[in-house]
Amino acid sequence: MSETYAERLAQGNPQAAAFQLGQIIEAVDTARAAAEETKPKVWHFASTADARAAADQEQVADGDVVVVESERAVGFVVVIGPVAITEQHGAFDAYSKLGKPAREYCKGVYTPSAERAEQVAIELGYKLADPSAAQTARIAAGLPIAFETPRMLIEPADVLHAFGARLNVVDTGVRINPATSQGEWWVLVEGATEEDQRRTYRGQWAFAVPVATAAWDVVTVERVLPAPSA
């Protein structure tokens, strides 16, 4: 097996190898510090009016993220004006004023700001103004998203929207109903929250649908999807 350059250097001059390692560590630390420095800063304010005034007075920089929890609003500063990425915007400019998705605005220069603002909003449980961005942000954060799927493609661990409730899917499959000799799709579920259990049943319960119906039926589920590869 051939030796690496570092191994040969360590054998010939341990002090030089230690010095080189120190330089590598310093370079990595410097790169990390520089990356942190370029990230948009996140500022919290008591009101959206206060945040707008701070941006107008250049107390927060272009591209910084502004958060107002009392109004459930999160946005980022465009020059000196905050633009909300949440549905709630208060004194911020509404997201629609950008005229295009935030990642495409100004040739994408505000993409890091939009991504950071979306991350903060998702963590706080706020609804984003752009449904597509909300889905992307939730996938990136490893959170479930709601989408429509054929009933027979429901998987265990999905959350099924049915009977006016959200139901955790415990198991599912296909069987022959002995009473009718017909195939049926079945699912074992449990209310996702206490409120969902009050609306349906307190414990686990099952229901079935004829395969002929389940084959074309489309339902809404929530599922954690894998993040797309870079």
Side-chain angles (χ1 to χ4, degrees), residues 37-43 51 54-66 75-83 98 105-106 109-114:
E37 188 65 26
T38 59
K39 283 184 178 180
K41 291 183 173 61
V42 179
W43 304 84
D56 185 57
Q57 296 165 16
E58 299 185 4
Q59 295 173 1
V60 295
D62 179 35
D64 281 355
V65 174
V66 285
F76 60 92
V77 178
V78 176
V79 187
I80 58 170
V83 176
L98 289 177
Y105 184 73
C106 201
V109 71
Y110 289 102
T111 295
S113 302

Side-chain angles (χ1 to χ4, degrees), residues 161-210:
H161 293 201
F163 304 100
R166 296 171 62 252
L167 307 171
N168 290 327
V169 176
V170 179
D171 198 6
T172 183
V174 176
R175 65 192 178 197
I176 298 297
N177 186 329
T180 63
S181 298
Q182 300 295 315
E184 61 181 18
W185 171 89
W186 61 270
V187 62
L188 178 65
V189 297
E190 185 175 35
T193 66
E194 289 186 7
E195 177 61 26
D196 294 318
Q197 292 175 13
R198 282 195 293 269
R199 292 179 180 181
T200 54
Y201 298 94
R202 295 287 180 178
Q204 295 183 359
W205 56 287
F207 65 92
V209 175

Side-chain angles (χ1 to χ4, degrees), residues 44 87 138 153 157 169 187:
H44 292 257
E87 281 195 343
R138 290 187 67 86
L153 295 184
V169 176
V187 62

Side-chain angles (χ1 to χ4, degrees), residues 61-225:
D62 179 35
D64 281 355
V65 174
V66 285
V67 183
V68 180
E69 294 188 43
S70 63
E71 298 180 44
R72 300 180 66 82
V74 178
F76 60 92
V77 178
V78 176
V79 187
I80 58 170
V83 176
I85 52 87
T86 49
E87 281 195 343
Q88 301 298 322
H89 58 82
F92 294 169
D93 289 334
Y95 183 84
S96 59
K97 287 195 173 182
L98 289 177
K100 60 180 61 179
R103 289 172 174 76
E104 299 175 13
Y105 184 73
C106 201
K107 297 183 178 179
V109 71
Y110 289 102
T111 295
S113 302
E115 290 178 346
R116 185 73 182 101
E118 290 166 1
Q119 179 185 9
V120 172
I122 291 295
E123 289 173 352
L124 292 171
Y126 301 164
K127 190 171 184 179
L128 299 186
D130 183 345
S132 177
Q135 179 168 302
T136 300
R138 290 187 67 86
I139 292 173
L143 298 172
I145 64 166
F147 63 96
E148 292 187 337
T149 186
R151 183 181 293 275
M152 293 185 70
L153 295 184
I154 292 175
E155 301 175 356
D158 284 348
V159 176
L160 172 64
H161 293 201
F163 304 100
R166 296 171 62 252
L167 307 171
N168 290 327
V169 176
V170 179
D171 198 6
T172 183
V174 176
R175 65 192 178 197
I176 298 297
N177 186 329
T180 63
S181 298
Q182 300 295 315
E184 61 181 18
W185 171 89
W186 61 270
V187 62
L188 178 65
V189 297
E190 185 175 35
T193 66
E194 289 186 7
E195 177 61 26
D196 294 318
Q197 292 175 13
R198 282 195 293 269
R199 292 179 180 181
T200 54
Y201 298 94
R202 295 287 180 178
Q204 295 183 359
W205 56 287
F207 65 92
V209 175
V211 167
T213 301
W216 58 261
D217 194 17
V218 173
V219 295
T220 298
V221 300
E222 298 170 33
R223 181 185 300 167
V224 176
L225 298 179

